[in-house]
Amino acid sequence: AYGPSLERKQAVAFLRAAVDRGVTFFDTAEAYGPFENEELVGEALGPVRDQVVLATKFGFKDGQSRLGVDSRPERIREVTEASLKRLGIDRIDLYQIHWPQRNVPMFGAAYATLARERGLSLVQLALGYVKSRWYLGAMIIAATTMAQLEEDIAAGQGELDGPTLAAIAALQ
C-alpha cells in the first residue's frame, strides 16, 4: 500500500466519481492487496465497464512480490482467469507483466522480429497497430528519454500496410 486505505464504500465512491469527471483508464494488479485491489476496482467499475479501459498486471508468485517472480507462459491462463473473476469482467483491456523473468522467453520477441523485418521500431509497430484498431482507443507512451519520446511521437504519425497488419494478426 502507498498510504492509508479508504474504507471500501469510500473507495468505490471515489472511483465512480473519477469516471464521472472523465477518467477512463484504470490500472491495478494482482499484487495490489494482494488481490484486493482488483476486487475493489471490479466492484466500483463494473456498472460502467463499457466506459473505461481496465489494465491489470501479473507476474509475481501468488501475487506477492516478496515471493519472487513467476511469469511462465503456462501460468498466464491461470492468473488471467483469476484476475477476470476478481474484476468481475469478461475482458482485460491491457494485460501487463509486472516483472518478467529473465529465463522465460517472451512472445514479444516475435513482434520485435516483425518490426525489424519491416524496418520499424517496436514502438512504431505497436502504435501503428493501435491506430489501425479504433476500439483500442488509447496509446500509452512510456518514454524515459527525450529520444524515446520523439520516436514515440513520430511513430504515432505512421500507418501500417495490409501485409504488416496481417503478419501481426498471425502472431496473435
Side-chain angles (χ1 to χ4, degrees):
Y2 300 101
S5 298
L6 295 173
E7 294 294 323
R8 190 172 192 89
K9 187 175 178 181
Q10 291 175 305
V12 168
F14 179 83
L15 292 173
R16 289 188 183 158
V19 173
D20 291 342
R21 287 171 175 77
V23 176
T24 60
F25 183 84
F26 293 86
D27 179 52
T28 186
E30 66 173 357
Y32 303 163
F35 312 119
E36 294 172 13
N37 194 261
E38 284 184 330
E39 293 169 355
L40 172 68
V41 167
E43 178 184 337
L45 302 178
V48 294
R49 174 63 183 104
D50 292 331
Q51 299 172 39
V52 299
V53 174
L54 291 178
T56 192
K57 295 174 282 306
F58 76 98
F60 293 118
K61 291 178 184 172
D62 297 324
Q64 299 180 46
S65 60
R66 65 181 173 77
L67 298 179
V69 294
D70 186 358
S71 56
R72 294 170 295 128
E74 60 269 20
R75 189 162 177 272
I76 294 173
R77 180 176 302 277
E78 172 190 338
V79 295
T80 302
E81 289 173 358
S83 286
L84 287 167
K85 184 176 180 181
R86 283 189 295 272
L87 288 161
I89 59 177
D90 62 355
R91 71 187 186 283
I92 296 169
D93 299 307
L94 177 62
Y95 199 44
Q96 307 160 88
I97 187 165
H98 217 139
W99 199 265
Q101 281 178 264
R102 292 181 190 264
N103 61 342
V104 174
M106 301 304 297
F107 66 87
Y111 292 98
T113 300
L114 178 63
R116 205 170 31 255
E117 289 172 356
R118 298 290 197 267
L120 302 169
S121 72
L122 192 53
V123 170
Q124 289 170 322
L125 182 73
L127 292 180
Y129 181 74
V130 167
K131 284 179 64 178
S132 75
R133 303 294 190 261
W134 63 268
Y135 52 85
L136 292 177
M139 294 189 285
I140 298 170
I141 298 175
T144 57
T145 68
M146 184 56 75
Q148 286 175 331
L149 180 59
E150 288 170 358
E151 179 186 354
D152 291 353
I153 291 169
Q157 309 303 313
E159 302 287 333
L160 297 180
D161 60 18
T164 301
L165 291 171
I168 292 171
L171 292 173
Q172 297 175 349

